[in-house]
Amino acid sequence: MSKPKDVDSYIANADTEARPTLEELREIIKSTVPEAEEEVSYNVPFYTFHGTHVGISAAKNHATFGIGAGTLQSEDRKMLEEKGYKTGKETIQIRYDQAVPTTEITQLLEEKAEEAKKAQ
């Protein structure tokens, strides 16, 4: 993938099977945290709000939603893993043959935005 100048070009240059998942993640972020500023940083889409950020990226077989430190708790990871998603300390991997866990991501974003507002 060439160096993207914005999120639209990042998604357009992603593999065809990645695009729907990336678009859905983008829409979840923008609708849940409408004040988030969209940019490309480290060659991937980032959304900055209330002094914090989240990001998305495309890999060969999955998209990654990065929520950041402290938001994805062990119980969240366990619940997502039980539903078939691979998680890391700060990330959720969504295979292209999986549905995006919209409810869970929305809830995580709401919690992160609320915590970030309190910290300001």
Side-chain angles (χ1 to χ4, degrees), residues 85-105:
Y85 299 96
K86 187 173 181 181
T87 65
K89 185 176 179 182
E90 302 177 4
T91 61
I92 303 166
Q93 290 183 5
I94 305 155
R95 291 188 324 267
Y96 298 131
D97 64 350
Q98 288 179 302
V100 173
T102 304
T103 302
E104 293 82 355
I105 289 175

Side-chain angles (χ1 to χ4, degrees), residues 60-120:
K60 183 176 180 177
N61 298 311
H62 68 272
T64 299
F65 173 74
I67 189 74
T71 304
L72 194 58
Q73 303 297 319
S74 59
E75 59 271 9
D76 298 319
R77 284 193 295 277
K78 182 179 179 186
M79 180 263 307
L80 287 161
E81 289 169 0
E82 287 173 354
K83 293 182 176 188
Y85 299 96
K86 187 173 181 181
T87 65
K89 185 176 179 182
E90 302 177 4
T91 61
I92 303 166
Q93 290 183 5
I94 305 155
R95 291 188 324 267
Y96 298 131
D97 64 350
Q98 288 179 302
V100 173
T102 304
T103 302
E104 293 82 355
I105 289 175
T106 300
Q107 182 177 350
L108 289 168
L109 280 167
E110 289 170 346
E111 291 170 11
K112 185 170 182 86
E114 189 61 34
E115 287 299 316
K117 284 180 191 175
K118 288 179 186 175
Q120 287 187 320

